[in-house]
Amino acid sequence: MRTIDILTTQNVTINYELAEAKDRIFATIIDIIIQSIGLLLPSLIFMSSGMMSEDYFLYFIVLPILFFYYFGSQVLMDGQTLAYRMLAIRVVALS
């Protein structure tokens, strides 16, 4: 497995294993499944009851969930989505 060495400001070298492509792809698939479940529940509620038209549903439910899932989880969970956290994949900033 490939690794990367990171030198900290205290001159301590930390060795991290790089995530393989299959792990990242699997994490992306899990994220898509999580988003699909997050979109399925509101669509069943709002669309079946006729409370919202399709345009409003797209703009007020679908787009915020798709947009804020990645950005919100990365900000709130230190650069990880739920799938990355489940698979123990860490995101490390080199700067």
Side-chain angles (χ1 to χ4, degrees):
M1 177 159 279
R2 294 177 31 196
T3 61
I4 187 171
D5 294 327
I6 298 174
L7 185 65
T8 65
T9 56
Q10 290 85 17
N11 291 326
V12 175
T13 302
I14 301 174
N15 190 0
Y16 285 106
E17 291 183 11
L18 296 176
E20 295 182 10
K22 66 177 173 113
D23 294 332
R24 291 173 181 251
I25 292 170
F26 188 58
T28 302
I29 291 170
I30 292 173
D31 281 332
I32 290 170
I33 291 170
I34 291 170
Q35 286 180 346
S36 298
I37 292 170
L39 291 174
L40 180 67
L41 297 176
S43 68
L44 291 175
I45 294 169
F46 289 116
M47 300 302 274
S48 65
S49 66
M51 292 174 60
M52 287 187 152
S53 69
E54 292 178 9
D55 292 337
Y56 290 121
F57 181 75
L58 175 69
Y59 294 129
F60 293 115
I61 304 295
V62 173
L63 292 179
I65 288 174
L66 293 178
F67 181 75
F68 289 114
Y69 175 75
Y70 282 106
F71 295 115
S73 63
Q74 288 181 5
V75 168
L76 296 174
M77 296 192 298
D78 297 324
Q80 292 180 315
T81 61
L82 293 174
Y84 273 43
R85 187 155 291 194
M86 287 172 30
L87 297 176
I89 297 174
R90 295 201 54 185
V91 177
V92 178
L94 295 178
S95 58

